[in-house]
């Protein structure tokens, strides 16, 4: 008999458990959506809550519609880590209308998220269910209590109906693991659904949920939004409840991970944010700032947008640059001021951020990985880099500078290694000095918002993460390092006629002058094969400007619509 390791046994058991739960669902979930189902799916978050609170729309009707989309999304993209639909269908015992003495009990207030299906990334605790974080070593270790956001959602009347897939340890450019397999992009199965919230991105695009709760350390909700045609916003640390969430690097505060939502509609994302804050999340999570919702109305205001065209590492591909150009053009036509912005060095800030993330030598991240567990190629490269002798890395950095002139990669080679407490404190000082540079630059320019591409590429082909590298996520990760509020919204699709590279580009001086990281990323870009993939833009505000950034995203969307360029997602 063939010997199986514990890792293989746990992976097989988890996949069998998932399939058994799916097979145990009512046959109605495997049928096509009816006209009635589609009417439910078309309801906005506000409409759904109003009807569920009023009793005109039942939990069963909601889950019947969304459950069908869950099943079809799983079949198309492999996006589920756990299914809790049956448990959600168990009727709740209604509260008595009168007390034991016969007096009337006051009617319970309407719940703010009543009946809203919310999917949960598999790094967030739900009592009684595994939180695997993509590791097989965490199978059969159900959480003893639920995370703060899950408890808040329960009290608000939301329906947590599924958990979504993640890569091991949450770091990577694709969502793939031995535990659950690869999650594909719903627009094209040969491409990635995004970084570690890729499972949620795929599910949302397939209309299997209204909201996905994910996490973001370097763009893990914003990249799936870019790849899958969705809306997402990471907040400053302390605005959204994170207690009970497992980050990629436990204990890391210097570049902290935040929990954050994604949605298929901007109005739903904004309404969800507003209602979560109205639930007073600081009463659920001690790390939350007691900051009420502050409505922002910028619709009649002429605003100033700064545009960061390049990050100094990987210039945007033609498709992503065109998307950013479309946004700038649309805003200018609406009378807004749009100016180029050369920010403080992004490679400098990214280098400090990477050193802080892996200052423990990778112990926190790699500690849960089993010997025969397959990791995202970008994390294999990080592990190899961390395990290399420092003298060898300095030698390779010197050779890299001499032969290629690639300062970004050379700096990463010689600085990513185990740090002493004293060295880490020096890095924190450097990070704060870097934040001050950004603060002063923003003050000098008096921007309302910044605009960037979320990534230099559209969704990447499956299996190419090693060529693209984690460093290419600088457009998103830099705002985690700064702790700025940043949202992504869909704008366009890759067009093979508009977005191809110039003829003989690989022989051009532009290509030859690129660094190694940039050349690796461009080696996977193919507008013909990527035709039809979604493209987004990133809208950035300053710390704790969540309400304002959501308004900024709305202004961008309205400007695009006024130009006849409204984004229309594909129906799944």
């Amino acid at each position: 008999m063939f010997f199986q390791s514990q890792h293989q046994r746990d992976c097989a058991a988890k996949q069998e458990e998932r399939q058994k739960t799916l097979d145990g669902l009512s046959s109605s979930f495997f049928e096509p959506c009816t006209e009635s189902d589609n009417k439910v799916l078309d309801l906005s978050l506000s409409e759904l809550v109003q009807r569920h609170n009023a009793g005109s729309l039942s939990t069963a009707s909601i889950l019947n519609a969304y459950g069908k989309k869950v099943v079809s999304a799983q079949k198309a993209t492999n996006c589920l880590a756990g299914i809790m639909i049956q448990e959600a269908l168990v009727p709740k015992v209604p509260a008595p209308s009168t007390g034991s003495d016969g007096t009337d009990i006051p009617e319970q207030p309407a719940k703010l998220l009543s009946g809203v299906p919310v999917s949960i990334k598999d790094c967030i605790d739900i009592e009684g269910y595994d939180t695997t974080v993509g590791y097989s070593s965490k199978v059969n270790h159900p959480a003893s209590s639920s995370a703060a956001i899950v408890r808040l959602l329960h009290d608000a009347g939301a329906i947590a109906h599924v958990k979504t897939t993640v890569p091991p340890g949450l770091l990577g450019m694709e969502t793939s693991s031995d535990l659950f397999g690869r999650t594909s992009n719903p627009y094209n199965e040969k491409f990635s659904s995004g970084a570690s919230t890729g499972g949620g991105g795929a599910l949302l695009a397939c209309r299997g949920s209204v909201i996905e709760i994910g996490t973001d350390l370097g763009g893990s909700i914003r990249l799936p939004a870019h790849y899958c045609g969705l809306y997402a916003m990471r907040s400053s640390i302390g605005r959204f409840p994170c207690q009970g969430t497992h980050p990629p690097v436990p204990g890391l505060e210097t570049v902290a991970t935040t929990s954050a939502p994604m949605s298929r509609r901007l109005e739903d994302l904004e309404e969800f944010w507003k209602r979560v804050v109205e639930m007073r999340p600081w009463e659920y999570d001690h790390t939350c700032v007691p900051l009420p919702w502050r409505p922002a109305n910028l619709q009649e205001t002429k605003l100033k947008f700064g545009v960061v065209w390049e990050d100094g590492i990987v210039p945007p591909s033609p498709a992503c640059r065109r998307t950013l150009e479309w946004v700038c053009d649309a805003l200018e036509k609406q009378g807004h001021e749009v100016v180029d912005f050369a920010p403080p060095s992004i490679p400098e800030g990214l280098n400090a951020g990477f050193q802080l993330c892996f200052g423990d030598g990778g112990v926190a991240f790699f500690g849960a990985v089993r010997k025969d567990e397959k990791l995202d190629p970008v994390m294999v490269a990080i592990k190899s880099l961390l395990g290399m002798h420092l003298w060898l890395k300095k030698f390779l950095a010197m050779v890299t500078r001499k032969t290629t002139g690639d300062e970004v990669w050379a700096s990463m080679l010689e600085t990513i290694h185990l740090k002493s407490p004293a060295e880490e404190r020096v890095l924190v000082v450097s990070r704060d000095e870097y934040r001050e540079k950004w603060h002063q630059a923003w003050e000098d320019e008096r921007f309302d918002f910044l605009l960037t591409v979320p990534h230099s590429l559209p969704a990447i082909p499956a299996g190419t993460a090693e060529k693209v590298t984690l460093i290419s996520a600088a457009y998103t990760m830099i705002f985690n390092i700064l702790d700025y509020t940043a949202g992504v919204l869909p704008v366009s699709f890759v067009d093979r006629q508009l977005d191809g590279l110039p003829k003989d580009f690989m022989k051009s001086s532009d290509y030859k002058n690129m660094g190694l990281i940039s050349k690796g990323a461009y080696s996977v870009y193919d507008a013909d094969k990527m035709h039809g993939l979604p493209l987004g833009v990133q809208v950035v505000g300053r710390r704790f400007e969540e309400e304002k950034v959501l308004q900024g995203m709305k202004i961008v969307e309205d400007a695009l619509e006024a130009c006849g360029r409204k984004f229309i997602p594909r129906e799944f």
Side-chain angles (χ1 to χ4, degrees):
M1 183 178 177
F2 178 70
F3 173 77
Q4 281 192 319
S5 67
Q6 187 62 50
H7 167 64
Q8 292 170 319
R9 289 195 296 272
D10 284 338
C11 289
K14 196 64 179 173
Q15 290 174 29
E16 182 181 344
E17 174 192 284
R18 178 178 62 174
Q19 191 58 49
K20 185 177 179 181
T21 307
L22 274 171
D23 292 343
L25 293 174
S26 166
S27 60
S28 65
F29 289 108
F30 297 85
E31 297 171 357
C33 284
T34 64
E35 184 179 348
S36 177
D37 292 329
N38 286 326
K39 286 181 179 178
V40 172
L41 294 168
D42 288 340
L43 293 173
S44 69
L45 184 149
S46 297
E47 292 169 332
L48 195 152
V49 171
Q50 188 275 324
R51 295 190 187 189
H52 193 255
N53 271 322
S56 60
L57 183 62
S58 68
T59 299
S61 296
I62 294 168
L63 283 175
N64 191 60
Y66 279 94
K68 288 178 178 179
K69 289 298 186 181
V70 163
V71 170
S72 62
Q74 171 61 15
K75 184 177 180 181
T77 67
N78 187 40
C79 58
L80 300 182
I83 303 99
M84 302 168 291
I85 293 173
Q86 292 286 31
E87 294 88 332
L89 282 168
V90 176
K92 307 295 188 291
V93 179
S97 59
T98 58
S100 57
D101 59 356
T103 57
D104 289 340
I105 293 178
E107 186 176 337
Q108 294 298 308
K111 294 194 171 184
L112 291 174
L113 293 169
S114 187
V116 177
V118 179
S119 51
I120 307 292
K121 183 176 177 178
D122 193 24
C123 62
I124 298 173
D125 285 341
I126 300 178
E127 183 178 352
Y129 296 88
D130 287 343
T131 306
T132 70
V133 199
Y135 295 123
S136 69
S137 61
K138 295 185 180 291
V139 170
N140 294 323
H141 296 286
S144 58
S145 60
S146 292
I149 183 59
V150 175
R151 288 184 280 112
L152 183 152
L153 291 171
H154 177 270
D155 290 349
I159 305 168
H161 63 315
V162 291
K163 296 193 87 172
T164 53
T165 52
V166 299
L170 310 181
L171 289 178
M173 295 302 294
E174 300 185 62
T175 296
S176 182
S177 68
D178 290 344
L179 194 56
F180 295 113
R182 186 177 77 86
T183 300
S184 60
N185 190 299
Y187 282 84
N188 188 325
E189 64 179 9
K190 295 180 180 179
F191 288 82
S192 169
S193 60
S196 72
T197 316
L203 179 72
L204 276 175
C206 293
R207 305 179 79 191
S209 185
V210 175
I211 297 289
E212 158 82 5
I213 304 296
T215 57
D216 194 306
L217 172 63
S220 292
I221 62 152
R222 286 164 289 157
L223 288 177
H226 171 54
Y227 286 1
C228 297
L230 302 167
Y231 300 84
M233 183 182 73
R234 69 88 60 191
S235 67
S236 293
I237 298 299
R239 198 77 202 273
F240 197 86
C242 294
Q243 180 275 329
T245 296
H246 299 251
V249 186
L252 178 68
E253 290 188 329
T254 47
V255 185
T257 300
T258 182
S259 297
M262 291 196 297
S263 185
R264 290 184 291 117
R265 288 181 283 233
L266 181 56
E267 65 174 304
D268 289 350
L269 182 68
E270 181 174 20
E271 196 63 34
F272 182 80
W273 257 103
K274 176 174 174 269
R275 291 173 187 236
V276 165
V277 174
E278 287 177 352
M279 285 292 296
R280 303 171 65 85
W282 49 89
E283 295 181 359
Y284 293 82
D285 181 353
H286 70 279
T287 68
C288 276
V289 177
L291 185 62
W293 191 253
R294 304 157 299 172
N297 186 2
L298 305 175
Q299 293 299 316
E300 304 302 321
T301 307
K302 298 306 177 186
L303 304 167
K304 184 176 182 181
F305 290 81
V307 186
V308 180
W309 289 103
E310 297 189 11
D311 64 356
I313 303 171
V314 186
S317 61
C320 294
R321 186 176 182 89
R322 172 180 61 81
T323 302
L324 187 54
E325 288 172 348
W326 275 19
V327 170
C328 294
D329 178 63
L331 289 168
E332 286 181 328
K333 286 180 178 177
Q334 296 302 308
H336 299 293
E337 184 181 2
V338 181
V339 299
D340 295 349
F341 175 51
S345 168
I346 291 177
E348 176 192 335
L350 189 72
N351 184 271
F354 267 90
Q355 290 186 70
L356 288 166
C357 285
F358 298 106
D360 66 344
V363 172
F365 179 86
F366 295 106
V369 181
R370 284 172 164 163
K371 288 183 179 179
D372 51 342
E373 191 157 23
K374 186 179 178 183
L375 293 172
D376 187 293
V378 299
M379 295 316 300
V380 174
I382 291 288
K383 187 175 184 180
S384 175
L385 181 61
L386 288 168
M388 205 180 291
H389 288 292
L390 185 57
W391 66 265
L392 178 57
K393 287 191 279 192
K394 289 187 175 182
F395 173 74
L396 291 174
M398 180 185 69
V399 171
T400 298
R401 286 190 177 95
K402 189 172 182 179
T403 58
T404 70
D406 190 337
E407 180 59 34
V408 174
W409 180 235
S411 294
M412 290 289 178
L413 278 171
E414 64 187 5
T415 58
I416 307 300
H417 57 82
L418 179 67
K419 299 290 190 293
S420 69
E423 289 173 322
E424 187 165 341
R425 287 171 187 169
V426 170
L427 279 170
V428 173
V429 171
S430 296
R431 180 208 62 183
D432 288 347
E433 289 173 349
Y434 181 73
R435 287 177 170 180
E436 172 57 27
K437 290 179 185 178
W438 271 81
H439 173 79
Q440 193 57 54
W442 198 304
E443 284 292 312
D444 291 344
E445 295 287 348
R446 307 306 297 175
F447 293 127
D448 291 291
F449 302 102
L450 293 182
L451 298 170
T452 80
V453 296
H455 194 270
S456 58
L457 302 175
I460 63 173
T464 62
E466 189 172 12
K467 296 178 181 179
V468 176
T469 78
L470 202 61
I471 299 167
S472 70
Y475 289 103
T476 49
M477 187 172 181
I478 197 66
F479 299 113
N480 294 72
I481 295 165
L482 294 167
D483 196 28
Y484 282 3
T485 306
V488 165
L489 70 153
V491 174
S492 182
F493 297 95
V494 179
D495 187 316
R496 60 169 62 95
Q497 301 298 327
L498 300 175
D499 300 325
L501 289 168
K503 187 178 179 181
D504 296 326
F505 175 76
M506 297 303 180
K507 298 177 182 178
S508 70
S509 58
D510 284 345
Y511 178 76
K512 289 177 181 177
N513 291 332
M514 284 182 174
L516 295 174
I517 299 163
S518 192
K519 286 179 178 176
Y522 267 68
S523 73
V524 311
Y525 180 74
D526 187 325
D528 189 57
K529 292 179 180 178
M530 292 173 167
H531 181 78
L533 288 173
L535 296 162
V537 71
Q538 183 170 222
V539 180
V540 182
R542 299 171 82 171
R543 295 186 71 225
F544 294 106
E545 289 190 342
E546 289 75 25
E547 299 91 339
K548 185 177 177 181
V549 167
L550 287 164
Q551 278 286 297
M553 293 165 71
K554 175 66 172 168
I555 287 164
V556 169
E557 187 169 67
D558 288 347
L560 288 164
E561 184 173 1
C563 291
R565 287 174 170 168
K566 180 180 180 180
F567 180 83
I568 301 175
R570 191 173 121 197
E571 290 292 334
F572 293 96

